[in-house]
PDB file of all heavy atoms in Angstrom:
ATOM      1  N   LEU A 193      86.169 104.142  91.511  1.00 96.00           N
ATOM      2  CA  LEU A 193      86.695 103.158  92.457  1.00 96.00           C
ATOM      3  C   LEU A 193      85.720 102.903  93.599  1.00 96.00           C
ATOM      4  O   LEU A 193      85.487 101.755  93.989  1.00 96.00           O
ATOM      5  CB  LEU A 193      88.046 103.626  92.992  1.00 96.00           C
ATOM      6  CG  LEU A 193      88.795 102.682  93.906  1.00 96.00           C
ATOM      7  CD1 LEU A 193      89.083 101.359  93.213  1.00 96.00           C
ATOM      8  CD2 LEU A 193      90.087 103.331  94.370  1.00 96.00           C
ATOM      9  N   LEU A 194      85.121 103.949  94.134  1.00 97.00           N
ATOM     10  CA  LEU A 194      84.156 103.778  95.228  1.00 97.00           C
ATOM     11  C   LEU A 194      82.963 102.934  94.791  1.00 97.00           C
ATOM     12  O   LEU A 194      82.431 102.145  95.576  1.00 97.00           O
ATOM     13  CB  LEU A 194      83.693 105.135  95.751  1.00 97.00           C
ATOM     14  CG  LEU A 194      84.748 105.929  96.531  1.00 97.00           C
ATOM     15  CD1 LEU A 194      84.252 107.343  96.828  1.00 97.00           C
ATOM     16  CD2 LEU A 194      85.149 105.217  97.814  1.00 97.00           C
ATOM     17  N   ASP A 195      82.569 103.063  93.535  1.00 96.00           N
ATOM     18  CA  ASP A 195      81.472 102.236  93.013  1.00 96.00           C
ATOM     19  C   ASP A 195      81.864 100.766  92.909  1.00 96.00           C
ATOM     20  O   ASP A 195      81.004  99.896  92.916  1.00 96.00           O
ATOM     21  CB  ASP A 195      81.026 102.738  91.631  1.00 96.00           C
ATOM     22  CG  ASP A 195      80.208 104.017  91.704  1.00 96.00           C
ATOM     23  OD1 ASP A 195      79.680 104.334  92.795  1.00 96.00           O
ATOM     24  OD2 ASP A 195      80.109 104.698  90.663  1.00 96.00           O
ATOM     25  N   CYS A 196      83.160 100.492  92.795  1.00 96.00           N
ATOM     26  CA  CYS A 196      83.650  99.113  92.665  1.00 96.00           C
ATOM     27  C   CYS A 196      83.900  98.441  94.014  1.00 96.00           C
ATOM     28  O   CYS A 196      84.165  97.241  94.061  1.00 96.00           O
ATOM     29  CB  CYS A 196      84.964  99.101  91.884  1.00 96.00           C
ATOM     30  SG  CYS A 196      84.814  99.602  90.169  1.00 96.00           S
ATOM     31  N   ASN A 197      83.850  99.195  95.092  1.00 96.00           N
ATOM     32  CA  ASN A 197      84.197  98.674  96.408  1.00 96.00           C
ATOM     33  C   ASN A 197      83.425  97.397  96.721  1.00 96.00           C
ATOM     34  O   ASN A 197      82.210  97.338  96.555  1.00 96.00           O
ATOM     35  CB  ASN A 197      83.914  99.727  97.483  1.00 96.00           C
ATOM     36  CG  ASN A 197      84.512  99.367  98.817  1.00 96.00           C
ATOM     37  OD1 ASN A 197      85.485  98.635  98.911  1.00 96.00           O
ATOM     38  ND2 ASN A 197      83.925  99.893  99.872  1.00 96.00           N
ATOM     39  N   GLU A 198      84.155  96.373  97.153  1.00 95.00           N
ATOM     40  CA  GLU A 198      83.553  95.098  97.527  1.00 95.00           C
ATOM     41  C   GLU A 198      83.426  95.034  99.051  1.00 95.00           C
ATOM     42  O   GLU A 198      84.376  95.355  99.762  1.00 95.00           O
ATOM     43  CB  GLU A 198      84.427  93.949  97.031  1.00 95.00           C
ATOM     44  CG  GLU A 198      84.552  93.920  95.525  1.00 95.00           C
ATOM     45  CD  GLU A 198      85.581  92.918  95.009  1.00 95.00           C
ATOM     46  OE1 GLU A 198      86.455  92.474  95.787  1.00 95.00           O
ATOM     47  OE2 GLU A 198      85.521  92.613  93.816  1.00 95.00           O
ATOM     48  N   PRO A 199      82.269  94.624  99.544  1.00 92.00           N
ATOM     49  CA  PRO A 199      82.110  94.534 101.001  1.00 92.00           C
ATOM     50  C   PRO A 199      83.044  93.476 101.596  1.00 92.00           C
ATOM     51  O   PRO A 199      83.263  92.432 100.993  1.00 92.00           O
ATOM     52  CB  PRO A 199      80.643  94.146 101.192  1.00 92.00           C
ATOM     53  CG  PRO A 199      80.181  93.645  99.873  1.00 92.00           C
ATOM     54  CD  PRO A 199      81.090  94.190  98.818  1.00 92.00           C
ATOM     55  N   VAL A 200      83.604  93.806 102.745  1.00 93.00           N
ATOM     56  CA  VAL A 200      84.458  92.879 103.484  1.00 93.00           C
ATOM     57  C   VAL A 200      83.968  92.843 104.926  1.00 93.00           C
ATOM     58  O   VAL A 200      83.337  93.789 105.398  1.00 93.00           O
ATOM     59  CB  VAL A 200      85.951  93.296 103.418  1.00 93.00           C
ATOM     60  CG1 VAL A 200      86.477  93.196 102.002  1.00 93.00           C
ATOM     61  CG2 VAL A 200      86.162  94.681 103.972  1.00 93.00           C
ATOM     62  N   PRO A 201      84.238  91.743 105.642  1.00 95.00           N
ATOM     63  CA  PRO A 201      83.719  91.618 107.013  1.00 95.00           C
ATOM     64  C   PRO A 201      84.169  92.731 107.958  1.00 95.00           C
ATOM     65  O   PRO A 201      83.400  93.189 108.780  1.00 95.00           O
ATOM     66  CB  PRO A 201      84.264  90.268 107.486  1.00 95.00           C
ATOM     67  CG  PRO A 201      84.555  89.510 106.243  1.00 95.00           C
ATOM     68  CD  PRO A 201      84.917  90.530 105.201  1.00 95.00           C
ATOM     69  N   LYS A 202      85.429  93.148 107.864  1.00 92.00           N
ATOM     70  CA  LYS A 202      85.962  94.194 108.749  1.00 92.00           C
ATOM     71  C   LYS A 202      86.659  95.248 107.893  1.00 92.00           C
ATOM     72  O   LYS A 202      87.878  95.212 107.741  1.00 92.00           O
ATOM     73  CB  LYS A 202      86.943  93.602 109.755  1.00 92.00           C
ATOM     74  CG  LYS A 202      86.308  92.713 110.788  1.00 92.00           C
ATOM     75  CD  LYS A 202      87.362  92.172 111.720  1.00 92.00           C
ATOM     76  CE  LYS A 202      87.035  92.641 113.099  1.00 92.00           C
ATOM     77  NZ  LYS A 202      87.997  92.190 114.102  1.00 92.00           N
ATOM     78  N   PRO A 203      85.898  96.191 107.336  1.00 91.00           N
ATOM     79  CA  PRO A 203      86.537  97.200 106.484  1.00 91.00           C
ATOM     80  C   PRO A 203      87.455  98.118 107.293  1.00 91.00           C
ATOM     81  O   PRO A 203      87.223  98.384 108.472  1.00 91.00           O
ATOM     82  CB  PRO A 203      85.354  97.981 105.905  1.00 91.00           C
ATOM     83  CG  PRO A 203      84.209  97.708 106.815  1.00 91.00           C
ATOM     84  CD  PRO A 203      84.464  96.384 107.462  1.00 91.00           C
ATOM     85  N   LEU A 204      88.510  98.565 106.639  1.00 93.00           N
ATOM     86  CA  LEU A 204      89.406  99.534 107.252  1.00 93.00           C
ATOM     87  C   LEU A 204      88.712 100.885 107.328  1.00 93.00           C
ATOM     88  O   LEU A 204      87.886 101.205 106.483  1.00 93.00           O
ATOM     89  CB  LEU A 204      90.671  99.708 106.415  1.00 93.00           C
ATOM     90  CG  LEU A 204      91.617  98.538 106.294  1.00 93.00           C
ATOM     91  CD1 LEU A 204      92.745  98.878 105.327  1.00 93.00           C
ATOM     92  CD2 LEU A 204      92.190  98.171 107.656  1.00 93.00           C
ATOM     93  N   ARG A 205      89.093 101.655 108.317  1.00 96.00           N
ATOM     94  CA  ARG A 205      88.614 103.039 108.341  1.00 96.00           C
ATOM     95  C   ARG A 205      89.512 103.853 107.426  1.00 96.00           C
ATOM     96  O   ARG A 205      90.628 103.443 107.085  1.00 96.00           O
ATOM     97  CB  ARG A 205      88.626 103.600 109.761  1.00 96.00           C
ATOM     98  CG  ARG A 205      90.014 103.858 110.325  1.00 96.00           C
ATOM     99  CD  ARG A 205      89.948 104.608 111.656  1.00 96.00           C
ATOM    100  NE  ARG A 205      91.246 104.767 112.261  1.00 96.00           N
ATOM    101  CZ  ARG A 205      92.100 105.748 112.006  1.00 96.00           C
ATOM    102  NH1 ARG A 205      91.807 106.683 111.114  1.00 96.00           N
ATOM    103  NH2 ARG A 205      93.263 105.826 112.640  1.00 96.00           N
ATOM    104  N   LEU A 206      89.025 105.002 107.010  1.00 97.00           N
ATOM    105  CA  LEU A 206      89.854 105.907 106.229  1.00 97.00           C
ATOM    106  C   LEU A 206      90.829 106.629 107.153  1.00 97.00           C
ATOM    107  O   LEU A 206      90.485 106.947 108.295  1.00 97.00           O
ATOM    108  CB  LEU A 206      88.994 106.936 105.498  1.00 97.00           C
ATOM    109  CG  LEU A 206      88.206 106.430 104.309  1.00 97.00           C
ATOM    110  CD1 LEU A 206      87.215 107.487 103.848  1.00 97.00           C
ATOM    111  CD2 LEU A 206      89.135 106.033 103.178  1.00 97.00           C
ATOM    112  N   PRO A 207      92.021 106.902 106.685  1.00 98.00           N
ATOM    113  CA  PRO A 207      92.946 107.695 107.483  1.00 98.00           C
ATOM    114  C   PRO A 207      92.407 109.119 107.653  1.00 98.00           C
ATOM    115  O   PRO A 207      91.687 109.629 106.797  1.00 98.00           O
ATOM    116  CB  PRO A 207      94.226 107.722 106.644  1.00 98.00           C
ATOM    117  CG  PRO A 207      94.088 106.635 105.647  1.00 98.00           C
ATOM    118  CD  PRO A 207      92.627 106.445 105.437  1.00 98.00           C
ATOM    119  N   THR A 208      92.780 109.723 108.757  1.00 98.00           N
ATOM    120  CA  THR A 208      92.459 111.131 108.985  1.00 98.00           C
ATOM    121  C   THR A 208      93.614 111.977 108.460  1.00 98.00           C
ATOM    122  O   THR A 208      94.701 111.469 108.160  1.00 98.00           O
ATOM    123  CB  THR A 208      92.280 111.412 110.485  1.00 98.00           C
ATOM    124  OG1 THR A 208      93.541 111.166 111.135  1.00 98.00           O
ATOM    125  CG2 THR A 208      91.191 110.538 111.099  1.00 98.00           C
ATOM    126  N   GLU A 209      93.397 113.273 108.403  1.00 98.00           N
ATOM    127  CA  GLU A 209      94.474 114.181 108.018  1.00 98.00           C
ATOM    128  C   GLU A 209      95.648 114.023 108.983  1.00 98.00           C
ATOM    129  O   GLU A 209      96.813 114.058 108.576  1.00 98.00           O
ATOM    130  CB  GLU A 209      93.961 115.621 108.010  1.00 98.00           C
ATOM    131  CG  GLU A 209      94.941 116.634 107.504  1.00 98.00           C
ATOM    132  CD  GLU A 209      95.344 116.460 106.043  1.00 98.00           C
ATOM    133  OE1 GLU A 209      94.482 116.187 105.208  1.00 98.00           O
ATOM    134  OE2 GLU A 209      96.555 116.603 105.748  1.00 98.00           O
ATOM    135  N   SER A 210      95.358 113.811 110.253  1.00 98.00           N
ATOM    136  CA  SER A 210      96.397 113.612 111.264  1.00 98.00           C
ATOM    137  C   SER A 210      97.201 112.334 110.980  1.00 98.00           C
ATOM    138  O   SER A 210      98.424 112.317 111.125  1.00 98.00           O
ATOM    139  CB  SER A 210      95.764 113.553 112.651  1.00 98.00           C
ATOM    140  OG  SER A 210      96.727 113.303 113.628  1.00 98.00           O
ATOM    141  N   ASP A 211      96.517 111.265 110.583  1.00 98.00           N
ATOM    142  CA  ASP A 211      97.205 110.011 110.236  1.00 98.00           C
ATOM    143  C   ASP A 211      98.156 110.229 109.063  1.00 98.00           C
ATOM    144  O   ASP A 211      99.292 109.753 109.075  1.00 98.00           O
ATOM    145  CB  ASP A 211      96.194 108.922 109.846  1.00 98.00           C
ATOM    146  CG  ASP A 211      95.319 108.448 110.987  1.00 98.00           C
ATOM    147  OD1 ASP A 211      95.770 108.444 112.153  1.00 98.00           O
ATOM    148  OD2 ASP A 211      94.155 108.069 110.704  1.00 98.00           O
ATOM    149  N   VAL A 212      97.678 110.943 108.051  1.00 98.00           N
ATOM    150  CA  VAL A 212      98.502 111.201 106.861  1.00 98.00           C
ATOM    151  C   VAL A 212      99.712 112.050 107.224  1.00 98.00           C
ATOM    152  O   VAL A 212     100.842 111.748 106.815  1.00 98.00           O
ATOM    153  CB  VAL A 212      97.654 111.848 105.742  1.00 98.00           C
ATOM    154  CG1 VAL A 212      98.537 112.291 104.582  1.00 98.00           C
ATOM    155  CG2 VAL A 212      96.572 110.880 105.256  1.00 98.00           C
ATOM    156  N   ARG A 213      99.500 113.083 108.014  1.00 98.00           N
ATOM    157  CA  ARG A 213     100.628 113.929 108.435  1.00 98.00           C
ATOM    158  C   ARG A 213     101.649 113.123 109.246  1.00 98.00           C
ATOM    159  O   ARG A 213     102.858 113.338 109.125  1.00 98.00           O
ATOM    160  CB  ARG A 213     100.136 115.134 109.234  1.00 98.00           C
ATOM    161  CG  ARG A 213      99.594 116.258 108.361  1.00 98.00           C
ATOM    162  CD  ARG A 213      99.415 117.560 109.121  1.00 98.00           C
ATOM    163  NE  ARG A 213      98.654 117.426 110.349  1.00 98.00           N
ATOM    164  CZ  ARG A 213      97.329 117.549 110.448  1.00 98.00           C
ATOM    165  NH1 ARG A 213      96.609 117.854 109.397  1.00 98.00           N
ATOM    166  NH2 ARG A 213      96.719 117.410 111.605  1.00 98.00           N
ATOM    167  N   ALA A 214     101.179 112.212 110.085  1.00 98.00           N
ATOM    168  CA  ALA A 214     102.087 111.390 110.893  1.00 98.00           C
ATOM    169  C   ALA A 214     102.952 110.506 109.996  1.00 98.00           C
ATOM    170  O   ALA A 214     104.161 110.354 110.245  1.00 98.00           O
ATOM    171  CB  ALA A 214     101.294 110.538 111.885  1.00 98.00           C
ATOM    172  N   VAL A 215     102.379 109.935 108.951  1.00 97.00           N
ATOM    173  CA  VAL A 215     103.153 109.102 108.025  1.00 97.00           C
ATOM    174  C   VAL A 215     104.155 109.965 107.259  1.00 97.00           C
ATOM    175  O   VAL A 215     105.313 109.582 107.100  1.00 97.00           O
ATOM    176  CB  VAL A 215     102.224 108.324 107.063  1.00 97.00           C
ATOM    177  CG1 VAL A 215     102.994 107.733 105.900  1.00 97.00           C
ATOM    178  CG2 VAL A 215     101.488 107.226 107.819  1.00 97.00           C
ATOM    179  N   GLU A 216     103.727 111.137 106.804  1.00 97.00           N
ATOM    180  CA  GLU A 216     104.650 112.042 106.113  1.00 97.00           C
ATOM    181  C   GLU A 216     105.820 112.409 107.026  1.00 97.00           C
ATOM    182  O   GLU A 216     106.975 112.432 106.587  1.00 97.00           O
ATOM    183  CB  GLU A 216     103.921 113.306 105.670  1.00 97.00           C
ATOM    184  CG  GLU A 216     102.971 113.087 104.520  1.00 97.00           C
ATOM    185  CD  GLU A 216     102.187 114.335 104.165  1.00 97.00           C
ATOM    186  OE1 GLU A 216     101.763 115.077 105.089  1.00 97.00           O
ATOM    187  OE2 GLU A 216     101.987 114.581 102.961  1.00 97.00           O
ATOM    188  N   SER A 217     105.531 112.675 108.281  1.00 97.00           N
ATOM    189  CA  SER A 217     106.577 113.023 109.240  1.00 97.00           C
ATOM    190  C   SER A 217     107.523 111.848 109.459  1.00 97.00           C
ATOM    191  O   SER A 217     108.740 112.011 109.468  1.00 97.00           O
ATOM    192  CB  SER A 217     105.936 113.456 110.556  1.00 97.00           C
ATOM    193  OG  SER A 217     106.918 113.738 111.501  1.00 97.00           O
ATOM    194  N   GLU A 218     106.964 110.659 109.614  1.00 97.00           N
ATOM    195  CA  GLU A 218     107.785 109.463 109.822  1.00 97.00           C
ATOM    196  C   GLU A 218     108.694 109.195 108.630  1.00 97.00           C
ATOM    197  O   GLU A 218     109.853 108.823 108.792  1.00 97.00           O
ATOM    198  CB  GLU A 218     106.887 108.247 110.067  1.00 97.00           C
ATOM    199  CG  GLU A 218     107.641 106.965 110.301  1.00 97.00           C
ATOM    200  CD  GLU A 218     106.749 105.771 110.580  1.00 97.00           C
ATOM    201  OE1 GLU A 218     105.532 105.943 110.824  1.00 97.00           O
ATOM    202  OE2 GLU A 218     107.270 104.639 110.545  1.00 97.00           O
ATOM    203  N   LEU A 219     108.166 109.396 107.426  1.00 97.00           N
ATOM    204  CA  LEU A 219     108.933 109.110 106.214  1.00 97.00           C
ATOM    205  C   LEU A 219     109.821 110.270 105.779  1.00 97.00           C
ATOM    206  O   LEU A 219     110.753 110.072 105.011  1.00 97.00           O
ATOM    207  CB  LEU A 219     107.988 108.745 105.062  1.00 97.00           C
ATOM    208  CG  LEU A 219     107.162 107.475 105.251  1.00 97.00           C
ATOM    209  CD1 LEU A 219     106.201 107.296 104.087  1.00 97.00           C
ATOM    210  CD2 LEU A 219     108.069 106.261 105.412  1.00 97.00           C
ATOM    211  N   GLY A 220     109.504 111.479 106.238  1.00 96.00           N
ATOM    212  CA  GLY A 220     110.263 112.642 105.819  1.00 96.00           C
ATOM    213  C   GLY A 220     109.986 113.050 104.382  1.00 96.00           C
ATOM    214  O   GLY A 220     110.817 113.701 103.750  1.00 96.00           O
ATOM    215  N   VAL A 221     108.836 112.656 103.866  1.00 95.00           N
ATOM    216  CA  VAL A 221     108.448 112.954 102.487  1.00 95.00           C
ATOM    217  C   VAL A 221     106.961 113.297 102.478  1.00 95.00           C
ATOM    218  O   VAL A 221     106.154 112.595 103.092  1.00 95.00           O
ATOM    219  CB  VAL A 221     108.682 111.731 101.568  1.00 95.00           C
ATOM    220  CG1 VAL A 221     108.204 112.002 100.151  1.00 95.00           C
ATOM    221  CG2 VAL A 221     110.150 111.333 101.550  1.00 95.00           C
ATOM    222  N   GLY A 222     106.597 114.365 101.778  1.00 95.00           N
ATOM    223  CA  GLY A 222     105.190 114.710 101.631  1.00 95.00           C
ATOM    224  C   GLY A 222     104.532 113.858 100.556  1.00 95.00           C
ATOM    225  O   GLY A 222     105.178 113.468  99.588  1.00 95.00           O
ATOM    226  N   LEU A 223     103.271 113.553 100.743  1.00 97.00           N
ATOM    227  CA  LEU A 223     102.526 112.790  99.742  1.00 97.00           C
ATOM    228  C   LEU A 223     102.072 113.722  98.622  1.00 97.00           C
ATOM    229  O   LEU A 223     101.695 114.863  98.876  1.00 97.00           O
ATOM    230  CB  LEU A 223     101.303 112.122 100.368  1.00 97.00           C
ATOM    231  CG  LEU A 223     101.545 111.154 101.526  1.00 97.00           C
ATOM    232  CD1 LEU A 223     100.236 110.482 101.931  1.00 97.00           C
ATOM    233  CD2 LEU A 223     102.598 110.115 101.173  1.00 97.00           C
ATOM    234  N   HIS A 224     102.094 113.228  97.409  1.00 97.00           N
ATOM    235  CA  HIS A 224     101.573 113.984  96.277  1.00 97.00           C
ATOM    236  C   HIS A 224     100.094 114.282  96.561  1.00 97.00           C
ATOM    237  O   HIS A 224      99.388 113.454  97.159  1.00 97.00           O
ATOM    238  CB  HIS A 224     101.723 113.165  94.989  1.00 97.00           C
ATOM    239  CG  HIS A 224     101.312 113.909  93.779  1.00 97.00           C
ATOM    240  ND1 HIS A 224     100.006 113.934  93.341  1.00 97.00           N
ATOM    241  CD2 HIS A 224     102.026 114.680  92.924  1.00 97.00           C
ATOM    242  CE1 HIS A 224      99.928 114.676  92.254  1.00 97.00           C
ATOM    243  NE2 HIS A 224     101.144 115.148  91.982  1.00 97.00           N
TER     244      HIS A 224
END
Side-chain angles (χ1 to χ4, degrees):
L193 185 59
L194 290 172
D195 285 341
C196 294
N197 192 25
E198 298 171 342
V200 294
K202 291 179 119 181
L204 294 175
R205 71 172 175 86
L206 287 170
T208 64
E209 186 64 42
S210 177
D211 293 328
V212 172
R213 280 194 309 270
V215 166
E216 288 176 320
S217 177
E218 180 178 348
L219 296 176
V221 177
L223 301 186
H224 184 273

